[in-house]
Amino acid sequence: MPAAVREGDDAAVWALARPTRPSRVPGVVMSGFRDRGPAPVDHRLDPHPVVTLALACGAGAPVIYDDAGQRKAESLVTGVGFGSGGAARIRAANVEWLQVRLSPAMARTVLGVGPADLEGSVVSLADLWGHRRAARIAEQLGVAASWEERFALVEALLARMSAEQPAIDPELTWAWDRIVADHNHIRVGGLAAELGWSRKRLWSRFHAQIGLTPKRAVRLVRFDRAATLLAMGQEAARVAADCGYSDQSHLHRDVVAFTGVTPATLADVTLVPADDLAWADHVPRLS
C-alpha cells in the first residue's frame, strides 16, 4: 500500500495511504488520512466535483465550519461543490479518517439521497444512514488492523449497496467519463452531438441521474484539476492552458469564485497540496 508523509508550513504532518488496486465499485476512489502533526489541522476546504464521505477511524472527529456554523460528527458527508467561495474549513487534531470520493451518480445509491439535495452542503452520515449503521461502520474501521483492511471493508459495503440499485443510463456513464478524462476540451454541445441527443435532452437526463448540469460538471472537474496543479507549484499561465481555460484571467476568475483567494495564494491555504499524494484519480469514473 503506497503511503507518504507530507509536511506543510503550518507544521501539520499527514500520513497518507491509498489502496493497492483501484476500487471494484465504479465511481469510487478512496484514500486514508492520519494527522501526525504537533499542532491541530486547520485548512480551508475547496469544492470538488464529487460527493465526499469522511469516515472516522478512531476516537477523534473533524470539525467543519461553514456559513451555517460548526458541524461535528464521527463521520461526515459533503456534497458536490461544498466550500465554494472559501468559507468552509476543517479543524481537527490527532485524527484518522478514510475519505471516499463518490461520483455524483453513486450518491443516491450509497447515501439514499440525490446529489442535487446535497450540493454545497455538509451533513452527518448518521442523518443519512441512521445512527446504528453509521456507528457500526465507525466501530469496524476503528478496530481494523490496517488501512488495507479498512479499504476492503468499505469497498465491500459500497458494493453491496450499489448492487441493490439500478445502474444509470450507459450514455450518461460515457458522458461523465468523457468529462472527467477530457475536461480541458469538452463542450456540452459536442457531447450531445456525439450521443445523437439534443442539448436539452442531455441537460435534463444528466441532471436527473448525475445530479448536476453538464456545464457545472465540466467547470468543477476543470477547477479541481487546476487547483491541484497550482498547489503543486505550476505557473498559472501553464495551468490555464493545460486545463482548457480561455486565458489566465479566466482561470483567475474561477479560482477566486471557488476559493475566495487568487491562484498565487491557493497553495498556502488549502488542503489541496496533499492531493497529488492521496489521489491517483481526482475524480472517479463510472466505467
Side-chain angles (χ1 to χ4, degrees), residues 93 135 140 154 200 219 272:
Q140 292 172 331
V154 173
K200 183 177 180 180
R219 188 180 177 209
V272 166

Side-chain angles (χ1 to χ4, degrees), residues 164-274:
E164 298 170 358
Q165 302 293 329
I168 70 169
D169 292 345
E171 295 90 347
L172 298 178
T173 294
W174 175 86
W176 173 263
D177 288 351
R178 277 293 308 277
I179 290 172
V180 172
D182 301 323
H183 57 275
N184 52 337
H185 301 297
I186 286 293
R187 296 294 181 268
V188 175
L191 277 178
E194 290 188 63
L195 286 169
W197 290 0
S198 67
R199 287 175 60 95
K200 183 177 180 180
R201 184 184 185 191
L202 173 62
W203 199 278
S204 63
R205 294 182 70 174
F206 196 98
H207 187 269
Q209 296 191 40
I210 302 292
L212 64 164
T213 66
K215 183 176 180 179
R216 180 152 174 80
V218 170
R219 188 180 177 209
L220 279 165
V221 170
R222 181 177 58 199
F223 164 76
D224 188 72
R225 182 58 181 163
T228 302
L229 294 176
L230 289 167
M232 292 168 62
Q234 292 195 18
E235 293 184 356
R238 178 182 174 186
V239 172
D242 289 347
C243 293
Y245 289 94
S246 57
D247 53 31
Q248 193 171 334
S249 294
H250 184 194
L251 169 67
H252 183 97
R253 291 193 300 272
D254 240 24
V255 170
V256 172
F258 278 126
T259 70
V261 300
T262 66
T265 59
L266 177 68
D268 296 330
V269 289
T270 183
L271 189 59
V272 166

